[in-house]
Amino acid sequence: MRFVVFAEQRLGVVEDDVVVDVTSLLSGPIGPAGPLHHLIESGGTGAWSEAQLRELPRQPLTEVSIQAPLPRPPKIIGAPVNYLDHKAEMAYTHSIADLGVFLKASSSVVGPNDQVQLPYEDVRTDQEGELTVVIGRTARDVDADNAAEYIFGYTCGLDMSVRSTEDRSTRKSFDTFTPLGPMVVTAEDLGDPGALDLETRVNGVVRQRTSTKDLIFGVRELVAYTSSVMTLWPGDVILTGTPAGVGPVAEGDTIEVEITGIGTLTVGVTSASARPYAKRPGAGSAFAVRP
């Protein structure tokens, strides 16, 4: 199935170009993590009958306002340097096999057609388009051979990154730095996650183009490795890594990430609240580290 979150936190199933509003089929109150997280956490699969769906309200997909599918996931996990061409591009000596994974703030999520807010006027922020995994079941120390059983589905993601001196989690956790969407496609509907084409465009110009077959840690290996470090919960998302072609974005840019079978995530870029890097809180203060 293909799920979208739309309007005021309503859950929809996409059938061709129509959204079927299935919110009424969810049981219990929906929390801040949103209706799709509620479905996943409750163990639901969305396996409703055609008769159930036939009786529900529906609208053309083009007429609904799509939001982030998981506006507040329990965890956002990133995979650094998970394509060899990106390793070469950034002149890294290590890959994910050496670096492990990192965490991003859940408050960094925005949805389709939202704006990425640049934090600094004079330090570049890059786009990184990535296949994103949505965890469906609690997972701890799972084997790669069984990892697919713990995946609910997949979506498109951007791991926006400031090229400054702070650690990865800081540079990638600014508000708006994890756009997700436009929909989550269940694992059984998407097929092989290791055979997907990914393309990232900025203002219509292709910057990144790859196949997920070129991942260093494939999806199953990445889920297995991550679950050996931390317990994965339903609704956690894993950004699987970005290929070569990262580059700076600026005020007024439009970023698109398109992945086979999922669709296209589109966001804008604004510098309206950007400040000089030297004027960030704490810079040059009595709390700054001195030699």
Side-chain angles (χ1 to χ4, degrees):
M1 303 189 87
R2 302 162 68 82
F3 291 97
V4 291
V5 173
F6 67 102
E8 296 299 322
Q9 289 296 291
R10 303 196 68 79
L11 182 64
V13 169
V14 178
E15 295 183 343
D16 296 323
D17 294 324
V18 172
V19 176
V20 182
D21 187 341
V22 297
T23 314
S24 62
L25 300 181
L26 304 179
S27 59
I30 295 171
L36 182 58
H37 178 263
H38 181 85
L39 174 70
I40 298 170
E41 191 173 44
S42 66
T45 62
W48 299 295
S49 69
E50 290 186 12
Q52 285 177 294
L53 296 178
R54 201 162 40 240
E55 300 300 318
L56 296 173
R58 52 190 64 215
Q59 302 177 62
L61 180 60
T62 55
E63 294 181 9
V64 302
S65 176
I66 298 177
Q67 301 173 348
L70 292 156
R72 196 184 298 179
K75 290 192 292 295
I76 302 172
I77 300 152
V81 199
N82 201 19
Y83 285 91
L84 289 175
D85 61 357
H86 181 53
K87 177 182 177 182
E89 170 187 52
M90 302 301 286
Y92 288 122
T93 57
H94 299 288
S95 74
I96 185 174
D98 314 293
L99 297 169
V101 294
F102 61 90
L103 295 172
K104 299 185 68 170
S106 60
S107 53
S108 65
V109 172
V110 292
N113 302 312
D114 285 336
Q115 296 284 304
V116 170
Q117 300 175 27
L118 302 181
Y120 302 123
E121 300 169 351
D122 49 356
V123 178
R124 93 184 220 189
T125 295
D126 289 357
Q127 102 291 327
E128 299 186 7
E130 311 194 9
L131 173 68
T132 302
V133 178
V134 178
I135 297 299
R137 296 168 49 198
T138 299
R140 177 65 177 161
D141 283 326
V142 304
D143 294 328
D145 289 344
N146 302 322
E149 299 172 13
Y150 297 86
I151 297 171
F152 178 81
Y154 302 88
T155 190
C156 303
L158 275 162
D159 178 19
M160 304 302 300
S161 303
V162 171
R163 300 300 178 198
S164 56
T165 61
E166 293 86 355
D167 67 84
R168 274 192 173 87
S169 289
T170 298
R171 294 186 290 106
K172 295 167 173 280
S173 283
F174 288 92
D175 286 359
T176 75
F177 266 34
T178 311
L180 298 175
M183 60 185 68
V184 171
V185 181
T186 54
E188 59 267 28
D189 275 20
L190 186 65
D192 183 4
L196 304 175
D197 294 326
L198 181 153
E199 185 172 281
T200 307
R201 301 179 290 271
V202 176
N203 301 326
V205 178
V206 175
R207 285 197 179 173
Q208 298 179 284
R209 180 180 286 148
T210 194
S211 169
T212 55
K213 69 180 175 57
D214 294 328
L215 285 164
I216 297 172
F217 279 12
V219 167
R220 290 183 300 173
E221 292 77 18
L222 183 55
V223 170
Y225 171 77
T226 306
S227 76
S228 76
V229 177
M230 64 191 80
T231 299
L232 299 176
W233 294 329
D236 282 351
V237 298
I238 303 176
L239 297 156
T240 60
T242 201
V246 302
V249 293
E251 166 73 34
D253 283 350
T254 298
I255 311 170
E256 299 169 290
V257 180
E258 183 175 3
I259 301 178
T260 307
I262 299 174
T264 304
L265 168 65
T266 304
V267 293
V269 179
T270 179
S271 61
S273 59
R275 69 181 83 192
Y277 185 64
K279 295 291 182 67
R280 69 195 186 281
S285 73
F287 299 101
V289 175
R290 287 179 165 78

